[in-house]
Amino acid sequence: MSTRTLRKYFAMRLVFMILIVYMVCVALVFFIDFVEMMREGAKVDASALSVALLTLLRLPFFAEMILPFSVLIGSIGTFLILSRSSELVIVRASGVSVWQFLVSAVVVAALFGVFAATVYNPLAARAKVASDRMFTDTFAKRKGNAKNETAAWLRQNGPNGPSIIHARASADRGTTLGGVTVLQFDPKGKFIERVEADKAILRRGYWELSNAHIFKYGLASKVESKYSIKTYLNPMQVSKSVDNAESVSFWELPSFIEFAEKAGLDTTAYRLQYQQLLSRPFMMIVMVLLAATCSLRPFRFGKIQTMVITGLSAGFAFFVLVELSRKLGMSGYVTAGVAVWTPIAMGTLLALTVLLHQEDG
């Protein structure tokens, strides 16, 4: 009974600290992104309310990325506070080993990971789709000259010949483009016209351009409220070229991968994203174990700053390893499963080895 109470106490302290760190990080991300969006909004005379709404819609996507860091920093902070107050010393003196009170921390980290993958990720994916659509509709017009991570280049073919499309922003998995410039060629490859439009929507067999400015060699420019560019592209092909895996939620990824494979499209990025979401609980556990390796030492031994720096450096090194492994997976050198799970296995084994050495000699 006392052990159960102790585990609940440790779990509550850890949850509280992780949430505090996470909210501080989220607030910093919001204000930084809000300032950047205000700069973009000023170019198209967007209101402060629309900029704030766009920033809020973009926030869940960025906040999802900082959750592992929050678990790492929150765990380090919790262990240091418990050590400073001598609570860890008392608990360990009473016969409770480090492995016993780490159980609650591991369970909390795993629950955070499960929640992040199964609940938070679908919400963040929906918010990202909505933010991309809003950015495309409001901020990516020709006069805005806005820059966005959803900017896209497309090379396509159609009954009237090939064309090159550049969009400052994209939404709806690439079927809606904003700030569009089209270079149209005839079937023999001779340049015909340049078209600039505020927006382009993929219809069946053609792109529908809104507020299109058409420039042809030797002729005066003209403006069309609606203008069509024929294409052989379908939504799935456009999605492969433009869309990113982060906009597909955890629950949609299996069916999306299956459908894309049947269509003969490359699914490497989506497989990596799915494996990363599946491994999210174990990544959180690695964060707790890395934090434990450098923050369980009693305060009377000193060198607290060194321990904190060591823990943060270990977490940073782990994320570098994860990113390098992901790049190898994207390049096709290793499978998605190997690319995602190998760094987690290495981090877990390394942290456990250090803890065993510290606790059991």
Side-chain angles (χ1 to χ4, degrees):
M1 189 62 152
S2 59
T3 304
R4 187 186 309 170
T5 303
L6 185 63
R7 289 176 179 174
K8 288 182 179 179
Y9 173 72
F10 283 146
M12 291 176 60
R13 293 291 297 269
L14 182 60
V15 169
F16 178 76
M17 182 60 70
I18 291 175
L19 291 178
I20 290 295
V21 173
Y22 184 68
M23 295 307 297
V24 171
C25 293
V26 167
L28 290 175
V29 170
F30 173 81
F31 285 115
I32 293 172
D33 194 42
F34 180 74
V35 171
E36 180 63 25
M37 287 297 99
M38 283 292 290
R39 293 175 56 190
E40 299 294 345
K43 300 175 184 178
V44 293
D45 300 325
S47 65
L49 181 61
S50 62
V51 173
L53 178 58
L54 176 63
T55 307
L56 285 174
L57 289 174
R58 289 161 55 92
L59 185 60
F61 171 70
F62 295 119
E64 184 180 17
M65 299 167 60
I66 63 176
L67 183 57
F69 285 103
S70 301
V71 173
L72 174 66
I73 298 173
S75 300
I76 292 175
T78 301
F79 293 144
L80 288 178
I81 291 173
L82 292 175
S83 180
R84 183 179 182 182
S85 62
S86 299
E87 291 175 86
L88 285 183
V89 176
I90 296 171
V91 168
R92 298 173 75 174
S94 65
V96 178
S97 69
V98 63
W99 308 107
Q100 288 177 291
F101 64 75
L102 271 182
V103 169
S104 58
V106 168
V107 171
V108 168
L111 291 177
F112 266 106
V114 172
F115 177 82
T118 60
V119 179
Y120 188 86
N121 174 261
L123 296 176
R126 287 189 178 185
K128 187 176 188 304
V129 171
S131 69
D132 290 343
R133 187 182 298 117
M134 183 177 180
F135 188 94
T136 302
D137 291 340
T138 308
F139 292 80
K141 296 179 181 179
R142 290 178 294 109
K143 66 177 181 179
N145 195 29
K147 297 180 180 180
N148 188 263
E149 66 272 6
T150 62
W153 284 92
L154 281 173
R155 184 178 179 88
Q156 64 164 30
N157 210 339
N160 297 331
S163 57
I164 298 174
I165 301 176
H166 174 255
R168 293 188 177 91
S170 63
D172 301 323
R173 295 180 180 173
T175 58
T176 301
L177 306 176
V180 180
T181 300
V182 182
L183 302 179
Q184 181 66 47
F185 303 85
D186 65 14
K188 295 183 179 180
K190 181 180 179 181
F191 177 74
I192 300 176
E193 63 184 10
R194 184 179 94 250
V195 183
E196 294 184 358
D198 290 345
K199 188 177 180 180
I201 300 176
L202 181 63
R203 307 295 186 186
R204 187 163 185 161
Y206 67 95
W207 289 96
E208 181 183 272
L209 278 63
S210 302
N211 191 25
H213 293 241
I214 305 156
F215 304 89
K216 292 188 177 182
Y217 179 74
L219 298 175
S221 63
K222 61 179 181 179
V223 180
E224 298 282 351
S225 59
K226 298 293 182 182
Y227 191 73
S228 300
I229 299 291
K230 293 185 178 181
T231 181
Y232 292 135
L233 291 175
N234 59 45
M236 181 58 68
Q237 292 170 327
V238 174
S239 176
K240 175 183 178 295
S241 302
V242 175
D243 194 26
N244 51 56
E246 288 79 9
S247 61
V248 185
S249 72
F250 173 77
W251 302 109
E252 296 175 335
L253 275 169
S255 58
F256 187 91
I257 292 172
E258 181 180 0
F259 182 77
E261 284 182 336
K262 290 180 180 179
L265 302 176
D266 182 24
T267 60
T268 301
Y270 299 96
R271 288 186 175 277
L272 275 170
Q273 175 70 3
Y274 187 56
Q275 291 296 327
Q276 285 179 330
L277 291 174
L278 286 176
S279 67
R280 190 63 55 82
F282 299 94
M283 177 175 281
M284 301 302 179
I285 292 174
V286 174
M287 294 295 100
V288 170
L289 294 177
L290 289 176
T293 60
C294 63
S295 54
L296 294 180
R297 184 176 179 176
F299 257 61
R300 66 177 183 273
F301 292 162
K303 298 183 178 180
I304 303 303
Q305 295 86 349
T306 303
M307 292 193 300
V308 174
I309 294 174
T310 302
L312 295 177
S313 300
F316 178 76
F318 175 73
F319 277 101
V320 171
L321 177 62
V322 169
E323 185 62 20
L324 288 175
S325 183
R326 189 184 71 84
K327 293 294 185 182
L328 290 175
M330 287 293 295
S331 301
Y333 291 107
V334 295
T335 63
V338 172
V340 171
W341 292 96
T342 298
I344 292 177
M346 293 175 62
T348 302
L349 293 174
L350 179 61
L352 289 177
T353 300
V354 173
L355 285 173
L356 284 170
H357 177 73
Q358 289 178 345
E359 300 303 318
D360 302 324

